[in-house]
Amino acid sequence: MPNLIFRSVLGPVLLLFSSICLSVQAQEELRSIAEALGTIEELDLRAHVEVLADDSLEGREAGSRGGHAAAKYIALHMQKYGLETAGDGGSYYQVFGKGYRNLLGLLPGTDASLKDEVIVVGAHYDHVGYGSRTDSFGPYGTIHNGADDNASGTSAILEMIEAFDQLEVGPRRSILFCLWDGEEKGLLGSKHWLSAPTLSLENVKFSINLDMIGRLRQEGLSVYGERTAAGLREFLSSANRERLQIQFNWDIQPDSDHYPFIRKQIPTVMMHTGLHGEYHRPSDDIETLNYVGLQSVARYVARTLWALADRAESFRFRPAAMMESETARRTFERFAPPFSKRLGVALDPEMRAGDRENGLRIEKVLVGSPAAVAGLQAGDEILSLNGIPLQTQEQLWNLIFGVEKRVVLEVRNDSTGESSEVQVRLGGSPLRIGLSWRFDKGHPGLAYITRVSTNSRADRAGLRPGHRIYRVNNEVMLTDLDLQQELNEAEGLLELQVESRGQVRVVQIELAKPAASQESESGHP
Ligand SMILES: [Zn+2]
């Protein structure tokens, strides 16, 4: 019965054989990196997960029959896509312990002087088999398929192997694709390889670990290890064309295969989409995964991998990362006390194209603010400032943030309809942009925004506390003074490259000359 064959351990392996036979006939097409990344597809990822997390593999416990079948599946895939053997004795296998097997395949670099350098990308393919008191939240004794943990990471690596095989020109450094065994028994596979490496560890310049990347949710992708090299955060964010929400986590824990690499002082990141109710339970099954999310994560990792393997300089390990935890992150990311309100009103957002009939209507006056002290009230309309008729809110705020202390507003009272002049003593000091920042010692040139003044140019451009500035007018600002000078002296269009949650964008701020004379129109409503 075909069903029986399918259910046997050999089923998935036979399926793979037949797909090799089919693909031999198709002419291989060589691709650019962008095209190659496009071949990493939801359905293919799912197909790998369906094989690896099938009951026939019995939960892929290290050293078990199902574990060996999974290893075979991976080795055949490495062979199909032309990886060089990088295990023992000219094979893809590194055998150790009680019948445990790491899988190791190498894509040689294309640059004569850089090809000795190696980027490691790894994921554990083992899981906990039938589960036990020590490795399962139960119920024990039934198959734990480990679809997310870690058929997800394994399938992403299999798809990357295929994608990199299609490149017209491979990256300059070599890439070692590793599928670790025995992770669930205490990171055995990665530890073993690091103690008995099949190539010189000195040449390993970076490592990526994927563990449980199949459950992308609103919280986004967790990335650990961004502080293991200076400049790594910017690098990881700039590669994020999928616009994943990235949560950078500063903790470094011995909870997966990235840890032994970090202990060896190799810059390392680990990607993870978070724990869930099915974690280490029999219910971690194929239907619980988000395959569209898995595709995004796999493409993102593949692009990152490409960039790491192809960039001019290698990252250098930053030992201080070992001392920095989430506590340190929260301390660094605290906001500054807010700026004093200059005026302290919220304007009706609908009202911008004004004339003498239609002033800028105040929607709200903040208690204790300069506006409140001066007697302004909700409903009042501001017609002019220091004799300058106001056409737009932008014009008002630019003037408010540009003058020293006192302004005279012409205000029309809501109920009486009469206009009068009101003197206001503004709070705080003039602000050209309206933000404060703190430099990150871990990433030279990275300024973390600690506060933004309400209605300032920075605020109106969408900058918020918690954003990070990478560049100003395409230049890296290395010191406080550099940044201060650039923000104070720039004229015309200021371009800030800003990152928030791993997404980089350019924010433009128009720096008109201080409005001494009347401005008829502001360019940015
Ligand atoms: Zn696990």
Side-chain angles (χ1 to χ4, degrees):
M1 299 260 297
N3 248 357
L4 285 180
I5 294 174
F6 197 77
R7 280 196 192 151
S8 79
V9 168
L10 275 180
V13 173
L14 290 175
L15 279 180
L16 182 73
F17 273 127
S18 58
S19 76
I20 290 175
C21 298
L22 281 178
S23 72
V24 166
Q25 291 153 10
Q27 188 65 41
E28 281 278 335
E29 201 185 321
L30 298 177
R31 301 171 197 257
S32 70
I33 179 66
E35 290 167 337
L37 294 184
T39 69
I40 298 175
E41 286 182 298
E42 184 193 338
L43 287 179
D44 299 343
L45 289 159
R46 186 181 175 116
H48 291 306
V49 173
E50 281 175 352
V51 171
L52 293 163
D54 189 88
D55 280 353
S56 63
L57 297 196
E58 298 176 296
R60 307 185 306 281
E61 185 177 2
S64 72
R65 202 167 65 125
H68 289 173
K72 181 86 178 168
Y73 180 76
I74 295 162
L76 284 170
H77 189 88
M78 287 182 163
Q79 185 181 25
K80 176 178 174 184
Y81 293 105
L83 290 186
E84 286 186 4
T85 55
D88 292 331
S91 78
Y92 293 115
Y93 294 97
Q94 184 184 39
V95 180
F96 65 101
K98 299 173 182 166
Y100 308 153
R101 300 167 176 185
N102 287 333
L103 277 300
L104 303 156
L106 188 81
L107 176 71
T110 54
D111 182 283
S113 61
L114 288 177
K115 65 182 296 187
D116 286 344
E117 298 188 4
V118 178
I119 309 298
V120 164
V121 59
H124 77 86
Y125 71 93
D126 69 305
H127 194 48
V128 299
Y130 286 81
S132 70
R133 195 181 302 268
T134 56
D135 59 20
S136 167
F137 294 107
Y140 325 129
T142 52
I143 297 173
H144 290 51
N145 280 321
D148 187 27
D149 187 8
N150 186 27
S152 63
T154 304
S155 75
I157 292 201
L158 296 178
E159 277 300 289
M160 280 188 243
I161 290 170
E162 183 181 341
F164 276 74
D165 178 49
Q166 301 180 34
L167 287 171
E168 198 167 1
V169 186
R172 296 195 276 177
R173 287 185 187 77
S174 299
I175 297 175
L176 183 65
F177 294 93
C178 309
L179 282 307
W180 308 117
D181 204 357
E183 190 269 355
E184 302 286 10
K185 296 185 185 299
L187 322 182
L188 299 183
S190 53
K191 282 181 183 167
H192 177 74
W193 186 77
L194 285 165
S195 67
T198 52
L199 49 80
S200 168
L201 276 193
E202 268 176 33
N203 291 338
V204 177
K205 298 300 173 188
F206 201 97
S207 86
I208 300 177
N209 179 36
L210 308 179
D211 196 355
M212 301 175 64
I213 55 168
R215 300 276 294 245
L216 187 70
R217 284 156 284 174
Q218 242 182 355
E219 301 82 352
L221 176 70
S222 292
V223 174
Y224 297 75
E226 60 117 318
R227 306 189 68 77
T228 59
L232 188 50
R233 184 180 178 117
E234 182 178 351
F235 175 81
L236 292 169
S237 300
S238 301
N240 181 15
R241 306 260 176 83
E242 283 66 31
R243 306 209 60 80
L244 293 160
Q245 294 269 350
I246 297 181
Q247 296 223 28
F248 290 103
N249 189 307
W250 292 16
D251 280 340
I252 292 173
Q253 307 272 11
D255 54 2
S256 183
D257 295 307
H258 57 288
Y259 189 73
F261 281 85
I262 294 177
R263 287 296 299 270
K264 290 276 181 191
Q265 307 228 321
I266 296 166
T268 295
V269 291
M270 127 84 150
M271 319 281 190
H272 174 61
T273 50
L275 296 179
H276 43 75
E278 286 73 39
Y279 172 67
H280 280 220
R281 289 183 193 275
S283 47
D284 180 3
D285 273 324
I286 52 174
E287 65 273 9
T288 64
L289 267 53
N290 169 3
Y291 293 97
V292 177
L294 179 56
Q295 174 185 297
S296 301
V297 174
R299 287 183 183 181
Y300 167 59
V301 173
R303 183 179 306 98
T304 304
L305 178 63
W306 159 270
L308 282 165
D310 206 56
R311 72 200 300 263
E313 295 281 318
S314 298
F315 282 108
R316 286 243 214 93
F317 185 72
R318 188 178 158 272
M322 303 295 287
M323 313 297 164
E324 292 164 341
S325 62
E326 278 291 275
T327 312
R329 181 183 66 76
R330 284 188 285 270
T331 304
F332 174 77
E333 291 185 349
R334 72 200 186 279
F335 294 161
F339 284 104
S340 309
K341 295 271 178 295
R342 289 242 85 192
L343 184 58
V345 303
L347 297 174
D348 180 349
E350 298 302 309
M351 242 162 182
R352 52 173 67 96
D355 54 24
R356 299 296 291 180
E357 304 304 313
N358 243 339
L360 302 169
R361 201 165 64 83
I362 296 175
E363 217 171 47
K364 194 178 168 192
V365 177
L366 293 176
V367 179
S369 66
V373 172
L376 295 180
Q377 291 175 348
D380 288 352
E381 292 184 11
I382 305 174
L383 303 173
S384 72
L385 184 150
N386 292 350
I388 304 167
L390 297 171
Q391 307 291 322
T392 65
Q393 298 197 17
E394 284 67 32
Q395 192 191 358
L396 170 73
W397 294 123
N398 287 345
L399 289 166
I400 291 282
F401 278 90
V403 298
E404 273 299 327
K405 268 286 170 237
R406 273 171 208 287
V407 289
V408 178
L409 299 179
E410 186 191 358
V411 175
R412 185 166 54 212
N413 184 279
D414 186 27
S415 41
T416 65
E418 280 171 27
S419 304
S420 58
E421 288 197 339
V422 179
Q423 282 223 14
V424 184
R425 191 184 152 82
L426 300 172
S429 331
L431 290 168
R432 196 150 190 252
I433 313 288
L435 51 85
S436 300
W437 60 84
R438 178 182 300 138
F439 269 89
D440 183 345
K441 291 193 184 80
H443 296 303
L446 189 160
Y448 175 81
I449 298 180
T450 55
R451 61 176 173 175
V452 175
S453 185
T454 310
N455 289 316
S456 64
R457 286 187 172 86
D459 182 28
R460 284 179 279 134
L463 294 177
R464 295 291 175 267
H467 290 175
R468 284 162 162 86
I469 301 174
Y470 287 158
R471 279 150 206 268
V472 180
N473 287 337
N474 231 358
E475 301 277 338
V476 178
M477 301 289 119
L478 281 175
T479 67
D480 254 331
L481 205 64
D482 287 347
L483 181 55
Q484 205 174 314
Q485 220 164 9
E486 187 70 18
L487 295 184
N488 282 328
E489 292 171 10
E491 269 190 39
L493 199 63
L494 186 72
E495 287 199 335
L496 302 178
Q497 195 188 56
V498 174
E499 175 250 312
S500 168
R501 293 180 147 247
Q503 299 182 358
V504 181
R505 70 198 162 103
V506 172
V507 169
Q508 296 187 330
I509 298 178
E510 185 76 48
L511 288 172
K513 291 212 176 78
S517 60
Q518 295 185 9
E519 284 175 304
S520 60
E521 192 95 33
S522 168
H524 298 266

